[in-house]
Amino acid sequence: QEGLYNFSVQVSRAGGGASELLWQVEVSAGALPPVAIAVPWGSGEAVSTQVGGQLTNPSATVQGGEGCSVPSTWAWKFILLEDGPDLIQAFLNTTSTAQTDLLTLTTADFRGDAMVPGKSYAYAVLQTSTEEEMISLQLARPENLNQALALGAKAVKSLPFVADGPPSGGLVQSSPQSGYAVTTSFSGTTSAWYDEDASSLTFA
């Protein structure tokens, strides 16, 4: 627990004579306890911006120690980052479940509309000492993770993924463009489609 603690040591010798030394230690919040983030993708794997929300929800476990539970006053929040520059795209709705020495965080908040296909993203868990500090952090609108850390938050990042959007930008041409029912045969060609994995496109 955070706070001031008093310690003493007594030194004595056989035959008499003793001395006592007193000192005080202040314990403040330091490094986070172990935080493990579980995500339903491998490092650099493509995740659909349309149906990624149907995957298993990302979660995080915060492990306390024996006799040292995770403080109930701490606030936690998942965020979406653009990986690399660590630009904050969104603060995500986060739920928490506390057990004796374990805190579990989950989010079902998938923001495919905030992602640019082909770019790399990651989730991160932010921690502040109080809920009020978390609210202030969100109101401050930090642009990137470093700014959030400078404002007093601590963070742990997940494995990154690549936003996989639907195919886009294609053209379709019909030949001929006009004709007669039953007697005219029409054919079509399509080209110029963009996709993160163009070799996997099929046409029907």
Side-chain angles (χ1 to χ4, degrees):
Q1 293 284 354
E2 298 175 43
L4 293 173
Y5 295 86
N6 295 313
F7 294 87
S8 66
V9 61
Q10 290 185 337
V11 180
S12 59
R13 66 183 176 198
S19 296
E20 183 178 31
L21 178 65
L22 302 174
W23 75 95
Q24 189 176 71
V25 172
E26 181 178 3
V27 177
S28 58
L32 288 176
V35 179
I37 300 180
V39 290
W41 55 77
S43 181
E45 185 177 343
V47 174
S48 171
T49 59
Q50 293 180 299
V51 297
Q54 299 175 16
L55 300 173
T56 303
N57 293 334
S59 65
T61 55
V62 186
Q63 182 67 60
E66 183 176 351
C68 186
S69 59
V70 179
S72 60
T73 56
W74 285 5
W76 303 84
K77 181 75 72 172
F78 270 104
I79 59 173
L80 174 67
L81 295 172
E82 182 184 334
D83 195 39
D86 285 342
L87 300 176
I88 297 176
Q89 305 299 305
F91 284 80
L92 306 176
N93 295 324
T94 305
T95 59
S96 62
T97 304
Q99 298 176 353
T100 304
D101 294 326
L102 187 72
L103 179 70
T104 302
L105 310 167
T106 58
T107 181
D109 193 0
F110 185 81
R111 303 287 183 91
D113 58 343
M115 303 175 194
V116 176
K119 287 193 174 183
S120 182
Y121 295 88
Y123 278 35
V125 172
L126 289 183
Q127 178 270 335
T128 58
S129 297
T130 65
E131 188 64 39
E132 290 74 17
E133 289 183 13
M134 183 63 74
I135 292 172
S136 295
L137 179 66
Q138 293 182 72
L139 292 175
R141 298 182 179 275
E143 294 183 2
N144 55 52
L145 190 57
N146 282 337
Q147 288 185 10
L149 299 179
L151 291 169
K154 296 181 177 65
V156 178
K157 286 177 60 176
S158 76
L159 294 174
F161 65 92
V162 175
D164 185 13
S168 62
L171 301 173
V172 177
Q173 292 182 320
S174 173
S175 179
Q177 294 185 345
S178 62
Y180 298 98
V182 181
T183 60
T184 302
S185 295
F186 292 89
S187 64
T189 59
T190 185
S191 60
W193 288 96
Y194 170 78
D195 190 77
E196 292 75 38
D197 185 10
S199 63
S200 67
L201 296 181
T202 58
F203 302 88

